[in-house]
Amino acid sequence: MQQALDAFLDCLEAERDASPNTLLAYRSDLAALLESLGPEATPKGVQARDLRQHLGALSERGLKPRSVARHLAACRSLFRFLREEGWIKDDPCEGVAHARQGSPIPRVLNASQVEALLEAPTGPAPLAVRDRALLELLYATGARASEVATLPLRAAEEALASAGEDLVVLRLLGKGRKERQTPLGERASVALQTYLREGRPRLAARRRGRAGARCFLSRAGRHLSRIDVFRVVRRHLAGAGIPISAASPHTLRHSFATHLVEHGADLRVVQELLGHSRVTTTQVYTHLDGARLARVHAQFHPDP
């Protein structure tokens, strides 16, 4: 099975141009499958009952339905590839029902909480200047943590170079290496410009000219990772008076989308800004707005 998995991952990387994060997710999920099947398993020997037992074991370990569904999706992709490439004749996933999952409403911050978080980094220190720009960028664009961590310096400079035009537009590279454009408001533009002028050069100097081509740098002048972005957000939640468990970089992404919908933004536009391939993924934000309308209705409607 390991040879079959390696062939699948090689195909994802070489032919389908999967991102490093996508490859890592597939590798992790399918490694769990191989562990469940055992070292003697072969592609032709895997049966639907084996997959059902694997998914059941994941549920018993406490994985949420959404995570179990992701594991099943990884299995489906693997065995579809193996059938297409002639490794197997029958796909065992055809005998496995889709994992049931709910439609959880994402957590969001209200406007005052977002404002408090954005104002949490204070002072002229390079890291404070960086953190202000990073937080502003997350909320202003709805970018994922990985998209901000890997943002090229050139993309930031090109966006700011268009500041004299009607709209500052930042290019982001999202899932599947799909590029999208997102407007950058004045506040985020100023924070980013200040970081590039006053913060980044001081951080880059700590690497003696070897800081690299990414926009956001660490204390030592190295590239930030996705985990580093999470740490930046968590560090400033306390200063904003927000519980650490209540927010993450993705919460700012959800807040960005929700606030747009609440103020009347077209769902298709929000879909483009988020980089969603399907509008059904974006529709969760209409549910959020509906929940808010229901609360207002219950509070103010003169129910007889």
Side-chain angles (χ1 to χ4, degrees):
M1 279 299 296
Q2 185 62 55
Q3 184 180 0
L5 175 57
D6 291 340
F8 171 64
L9 295 174
D10 288 343
C11 176
L12 285 182
E13 183 175 16
E15 298 181 19
R16 303 182 190 178
D17 199 26
S19 70
N21 286 339
T22 298
L23 289 171
L24 183 62
Y26 271 110
R27 188 182 301 277
S28 175
D29 290 351
L30 294 174
L33 171 65
L34 265 60
E35 181 179 357
S36 176
L37 294 175
E40 303 300 324
T42 64
K44 292 182 179 180
V46 179
Q47 303 294 319
R49 64 174 179 272
D50 299 320
L51 299 180
R52 286 194 289 268
Q53 289 175 357
H54 169 60
L55 298 174
L58 293 177
S59 297
E60 290 175 1
R61 282 166 41 192
L63 264 69
K64 296 181 179 179
R66 181 177 294 269
S67 297
V68 175
R70 190 196 68 221
H71 277 263
L72 175 56
C75 292
R76 291 184 184 279
S77 296
L78 170 63
F79 286 101
R80 186 185 305 117
F81 164 81
L82 295 180
R83 186 173 62 179
E84 291 173 352
E85 295 297 316
W87 290 68
I88 58 176
K89 182 179 179 180
D90 299 315
D91 185 347
C93 291
E94 292 181 353
V96 181
H98 284 279
R100 294 185 177 182
Q101 53 179 314
S103 298
I105 296 179
R107 292 177 298 181
V108 299
L109 301 179
N110 60 40
S112 61
Q113 288 175 317
V114 170
E115 185 68 22
L117 180 58
L118 297 181
E119 292 183 349
T122 58
L127 291 182
V129 174
R130 181 204 66 186
D131 291 356
R132 281 197 295 274
L134 189 150
L135 292 172
E136 289 282 358
L137 200 63
L138 284 170
Y139 179 64
T141 65
R144 302 176 178 91
S146 58
E147 293 170 349
V148 171
T150 59
L151 177 68
L153 174 61
R154 181 177 179 180
E157 292 175 335
E158 288 178 350
L160 295 176
S162 65
E165 304 175 5
D166 292 338
L167 189 65
V168 178
V169 177
L170 181 68
R171 296 180 182 273
L172 294 173
L173 194 63
K175 288 185 176 180
R177 300 187 182 181
K178 294 180 180 178
E179 185 181 87
R180 70 182 187 278
Q181 298 183 5
T182 181
L184 200 60
E186 181 179 358
R187 178 167 166 171
S189 298
V190 170
L192 183 59
Q193 190 171 42
T194 301
Y195 164 66
L196 294 185
R197 184 179 63 247
E198 301 175 8
R200 192 181 188 281
R202 295 164 66 184
L203 296 175
R206 299 174 183 179
R207 290 281 290 168
R208 298 181 180 179
R210 295 179 291 132
R214 291 186 185 174
C215 178
F216 290 102
L217 302 178
S218 70
R219 182 188 302 273
R222 301 178 184 274
H223 292 163
L224 287 188
S225 68
R226 174 177 172 273
I227 300 302
D228 291 328
V229 175
F230 270 79
R231 288 171 178 162
V232 168
V233 173
R234 288 171 63 90
R235 182 163 62 247
H236 293 293
L237 285 171
I242 303 172
I244 291 178
S245 60
S248 69
H250 224 64
T251 308
L252 285 174
R253 177 173 165 86
H254 292 319
S255 302
F256 159 83
T258 302
H259 296 167
L260 285 176
V261 172
E262 285 181 348
H263 287 83
D266 183 86
L267 200 61
R268 291 286 183 181
V269 174
V270 179
Q271 175 192 0
E272 291 294 328
L273 292 174
L274 292 173
H276 287 162
S277 58
R278 296 177 298 176
V279 73
T280 52
T281 307
T282 317
Q283 284 176 341
V284 65
Y285 300 109
T286 63
H287 300 157
L288 282 167
D289 191 42
R292 182 183 67 89
L293 293 175
R295 290 196 301 271
V296 173
H297 181 276
Q299 180 177 357
F300 296 105
H301 186 269
D303 194 0

